Amino acid sequence: MKRSEINKALKDLENMLREYRYFLPKFADFTPEEWKSKGHEFDEIRDNMLGWDITDYGLGKFDEVGFSLFTIRNGNLKMQDKYKKPYAEKFLYLKEAQYAPNHFHWYKMEDIINRGGGNILIRVFNSLPDESIDKQNDVTVHIDGETRVVPAGTQVRLEPGMSISIMQGMYHDFEVEPGTGAVLIGEVSQCNDDNTDNRFEPPVGRFPEIEEDEPPYRLLCNEYPPAPEK
């Protein structure tokens, strides 16, 4: 993925947040140069991968398969003695004609919330004991406190303000209902670990390889330099 594509995606998400009057923490504005001087007092951001996250899932076609995210808060399953939070929160941004691939989480349960813009379509399947997709059995979904049973592969439609609970082992993907416009999404969940807790079907990558065709506007959550030693 080109750095210029990442920079544009970051600014698109910033603009969507601004339009709907959601505000990010101060570290969202740190420049790459500022990060070089940030000490160990900011290790929670580094260790828990808070901040900007732009991905094309390693496929090189971001406008078709991609997602823009900002992680506001998160715990850490590998460092629970140091970081006590059992929860995470994100903003996500999806454009029309963009798709976020089918996957499930082993550990994380999450609520996906339409914070504004168009309508989200989330296709749901159960998983089988061998972790493959269950294309036969109905799926029980929880939408704003209402329990529904839907056929495997149903696209649940979330209008602004609506939310769905995604259970562990439930396959799900994301796209925007055509003609409704880009969507700002909220995610509230258990601790998030994008290095170990995503099972994609079919398999894809999670973080992009970056072609540096211009300077970075912001660093991504997997790019922070270590704290300088004094």
Side-chain angles (χ1 to χ4, degrees):
M1 191 172 179
K2 291 183 178 181
R3 182 66 72 173
S4 57
E5 291 180 281
I6 292 172
N7 289 344
K8 181 180 184 304
L10 291 169
K11 293 173 185 178
D12 286 345
L13 174 50
E14 281 185 330
N15 289 336
M16 191 73 163
L17 288 163
R18 192 176 297 115
E19 179 181 353
Y20 286 90
R21 297 191 60 77
Y22 287 106
F23 300 96
L24 295 177
K26 299 297 184 182
F27 71 83
D29 295 330
F30 289 172
T31 66
E33 192 62 30
E34 286 176 308
W35 265 113
K36 294 177 183 178
S37 64
K38 298 302 181 184
H40 287 290
E41 65 272 24
F42 291 96
D43 278 351
E44 182 173 349
I45 298 171
R46 296 182 180 95
D47 291 342
N48 299 348
M49 299 183 73
L50 308 186
W52 300 104
D53 179 3
I54 308 295
T55 183
D56 65 354
Y57 298 96
L59 300 177
K61 45 184 181 180
F62 177 73
D63 288 335
E64 299 172 43
V65 184
F67 227 156
S68 303
L69 311 93
F70 188 94
T71 301
I72 304 166
R73 65 197 89 251
N74 195 15
N76 192 312
L77 296 176
K78 297 174 183 175
M79 305 173 72
Q80 294 184 56
D81 290 342
K82 185 175 183 180
Y83 301 113
K84 304 293 187 182
K85 290 177 184 175
Y87 53 84
E89 182 185 9
K90 295 182 181 184
F91 280 113
L92 307 91
Y93 174 76
L94 198 64
K95 303 184 293 183
E96 276 203 55
Q98 204 174 32
Y99 174 72
N102 191 36
H103 64 290
F104 77 64
H105 309 290
W106 289 279
Y107 174 80
K108 182 174 73 170
M109 177 183 170
E110 59 190 341
D111 277 13
I112 302 298
I113 309 138
N114 187 334
R115 295 293 192 192
N119 299 325
I120 314 167
L121 301 176
I122 301 179
R123 184 180 287 103
V124 293
F125 295 93
N126 296 317
S127 57
L128 294 169
D130 66 358
E131 299 185 349
S132 62
I133 300 172
D134 180 353
K135 297 182 179 180
Q136 302 298 322
N137 291 302
D138 292 346
V139 184
T140 299
V141 295
H142 303 274
I143 301 171
D144 297 323
E146 177 188 357
T147 302
R148 303 182 192 173
V149 178
V150 300
T154 294
Q155 281 190 307
V156 177
R157 181 174 181 265
L158 299 182
E159 300 175 6
M162 295 178 67
S163 67
I164 184 173
S165 298
I166 303 292
M167 306 298 179
Q168 297 91 339
M170 180 186 291
Y171 277 105
H172 56 290
D173 63 11
F174 299 80
E175 59 186 307
V176 176
E177 183 176 5
T180 65
V183 183
L184 183 64
I185 303 167
E187 178 184 308
V188 177
S189 73
Q190 293 171 282
C191 291
N192 180 84
D193 187 340
D194 280 317
N195 290 302
T196 64
D197 196 29
N198 296 302
R199 190 201 193 278
F200 290 100
E201 186 56 50
V204 294
R206 177 55 182 85
F207 296 103
E209 292 187 13
I210 301 174
E211 177 185 338
E212 301 291 353
D213 64 329
E214 68 180 36
Y217 171 61
R218 300 281 186 255
L219 294 182
L220 302 183
C221 63
N222 60 336
E223 295 186 303
Y224 300 132
E229 297 301 330
K230 296 180 180 180

